[in-house]
Amino acid sequence: MNKTIAVIRGDGIGPEIVDQALRVLDRVASKYGHSFKYTDVDMGGCAIDKYGDPLPQGELDKCISSDSVLLGAVGGPKWNDVPGNMRPEKGLLRLRAGMGVYSNNRPAKIWKQLADASPLKREIVEKGIDFIIVRELIGGIYFGEHKTENGVATDVLKYSESEIERIGRIGFKTAQKRSKRLCSVEKSNVLDSSRLWKKVMHRLAEEYPDVILTDMLVDNCAMQIVKDPSQFDVIVTENMFGDILSDEASMITGSIGMIPSSSLGASGCGLYEPIHGSAPDIAGRDIANPIGTILSAAMMLRFSFDMSDEADAIEHAVSKFLDAGYRTADIMSDGMTLVGCRQCGDIILENI
Ligand code: IPM
Ligand code: MG
């Protein structure tokens, strides 16, 4: 198959980790007889420096007209003082909204080889950690009005029934493919938007009688994720709660550096990115963990290109890397072999 992929290296460690994922994709292409054509897109701080805009329309258009988008990470202290609507992160938000990718899928799964890297007690980890956070990605407080006037700052949190319904359906469908348990997370004891969320979820539940829907308040959910993560299978939640809970969930699996994500909307063109940030403190030192990005590329093959054998091959190659005792700095432990970013890419692509 021929596919075009828009590639956003971004800032900080973005370029290093994306380069490893592209090498892995090239290996897959040659092994399985595909052709992947890459188009570079500037977004984030590097785009601010070049164009004075974190995502010029022309760059967004390149993404929308591709078959899929692979992204590293954006942001860094260099752009901390630029106005809010010009920050590197604004480029990412505009990209998500511009592509219409409302459904963000963030798996929290522990690799058996990394059980010791989890900060949780062994007996909790051994009960199993394997769940998915389905995060609404283009609504809520991220996209409401933001303003600061006369020393008062306002951010508007708004959800419509239709916005809740479309992400709710993804939650139910995701649960149908797994254990048929869906946990809807909100703050309905305080927020109107959460009360509407809960009402819409329960209305939808009637259409998915095979799925057991439970409700959980977000503060309790944050606690339950560290107390007994094995109770979760699919969590569906709004934008900001999903942002926070997915960082928490990634950490209990060992490292945020390992977690990929997919973001999809109505079209097949998806956005694939690791869930971590640009880590400016370690940028350019060849010590970042590229696995979250490499696994994001695997998700792209699986969900946007329908190449499940190829995706399996990448995931298997990562597992073999870990089996052989190789570790990047973020997941390093006694007796393991420390490797850098590029070497991690070398070993994974040799395993394909
Ligand atoms: C994430 C990140 C982004 C978000 C930032 C960089 C805007 O934290 O993808 O989780 O909050 O969505
Ligand atoms: Mg986040």
Side-chain angles (χ1 to χ4, degrees):
M1 268 194 261
N2 294 334
K3 295 287 180 192
T4 57
I5 301 172
V7 175
I8 308 175
R9 289 183 171 74
D11 310 314
I13 59 170
E16 311 162 45
I17 55 178
V18 167
D19 282 341
Q20 300 318 311
L22 296 183
R23 293 174 69 214
V24 168
L25 281 174
D26 284 339
R27 168 59 64 99
V28 166
S30 69
K31 183 158 179 201
Y32 290 84
H34 303 303
S35 150
F36 300 137
K37 191 166 160 285
Y38 308 118
T39 310
D40 287 324
V41 171
D42 293 314
M43 184 181 94
C46 58
I48 297 175
D49 291 348
K50 203 161 156 184
Y51 310 102
D53 182 338
L55 182 65
Q57 186 64 39
E59 300 301 287
L60 172 60
D61 290 342
K62 286 192 213 166
C63 295
I64 294 171
S65 59
S66 301
D67 292 317
S68 261
V69 181
L70 182 68
L71 162 66
V74 295
K78 184 176 172 195
W79 305 279
N80 270 354
D81 296 325
V82 299
N85 63 351
M86 284 297 284
R87 285 182 63 96
E89 291 81 1
K90 196 71 191 181
L92 176 57
L93 299 183
R94 265 199 243 149
L95 175 70
R96 289 171 177 171
M99 291 180 68
V101 287
Y102 62 85
S103 170
N104 180 220
N105 177 323
R106 298 189 161 187
K109 186 172 172 175
I110 191 142
W111 293 80
K112 62 177 191 315
Q113 301 93 330
L114 296 184
D116 288 328
S118 173
L120 296 185
K121 288 199 189 103
R122 185 110 206 170
E123 65 255 36
I124 299 178
V125 174
E126 274 166 2
K127 287 174 77 184
I129 303 176
D130 181 5
F131 61 97
I132 290 180
I133 297 180
V134 176
R135 169 187 176 195
E136 199 291 324
L137 201 59
I138 57 174
I141 200 163
Y142 276 56
F143 290 90
E145 189 194 3
H146 307 290
K147 66 172 184 204
T148 307
E149 259 169 27
N150 308 323
V152 179
T154 310
D155 299 282
V156 175
L157 166 48
K158 202 155 109 182
Y159 269 109
S160 68
E161 292 204 16
S162 59
E163 284 175 304
I164 299 169
E165 199 176 303
R166 65 183 180 179
I167 190 68
R169 287 190 190 283
I170 303 289
F172 280 100
K173 286 180 189 155
T174 308
Q176 275 180 328
K177 290 190 209 124
R178 293 174 52 106
S179 73
K180 302 190 165 50
R181 288 181 294 122
L182 177 65
C183 180
S184 164
V185 172
E186 29 69 4
K187 186 74 186 171
S188 57
N189 54 348
V190 177
L191 302 176
D192 261 46
S193 55
S194 282
R195 285 189 275 274
L196 185 65
W197 180 279
K198 188 171 173 183
K199 190 178 110 190
V200 172
M201 288 297 157
H202 282 269
R203 194 171 70 210
L204 281 179
E206 291 168 20
E207 291 178 44
Y208 302 88
D210 51 331
V211 175
I212 298 167
L213 173 68
T214 52
D215 307 298
M216 196 177 276
L217 296 173
V218 63
D219 47 350
N220 183 27
C221 182
M223 181 175 75
Q224 296 297 334
I225 284 176
V226 289
K227 184 168 169 239
D228 179 16
S230 72
Q231 69 186 284
F232 295 109
D233 188 52
V234 180
I235 288 175
V236 64
T237 192
E238 63 100 69
N239 202 344
M240 188 162 69
F241 298 159
D243 177 46
I244 297 167
L245 293 177
S246 62
D247 265 39
E248 187 193 11
S250 72
M251 196 57 230
I252 64 167
T253 71
S255 170
I256 195 169
M258 297 291 296
I259 310 288
S261 81
S262 67
S263 304
L264 289 161
S267 80
C269 177
L271 170 62
Y272 297 86
E273 52 173 319
I275 77 161
H276 61 71
S278 61
D281 51 326
I282 59 163
R285 290 167 53 197
D286 194 35
I287 59 172
N289 182 351
I291 296 178
T293 317
I294 291 171
L295 293 172
S296 298
M299 281 183 120
M300 170 186 293
L301 300 182
R302 192 182 300 286
F303 297 128
S304 284
F305 300 165
D306 221 4
M307 297 178 183
S308 53
D309 289 348
E310 291 84 336
D312 287 346
I314 295 177
E315 286 163 7
H316 186 67
V318 170
S319 193
K320 267 173 77 180
F321 167 91
L322 297 172
D323 279 339
Y326 295 114
R327 301 287 185 269
T328 46
D330 56 320
I331 49 174
M332 186 58 189
S333 60
D334 284 352
M336 299 292 137
T337 309
L338 182 65
V339 297
C341 182
R342 186 171 176 93
Q343 205 187 346
C344 174
D346 287 340
I347 297 164
I348 290 171
L349 72 87
E350 276 161 24
N351 287 345
I352 293 178

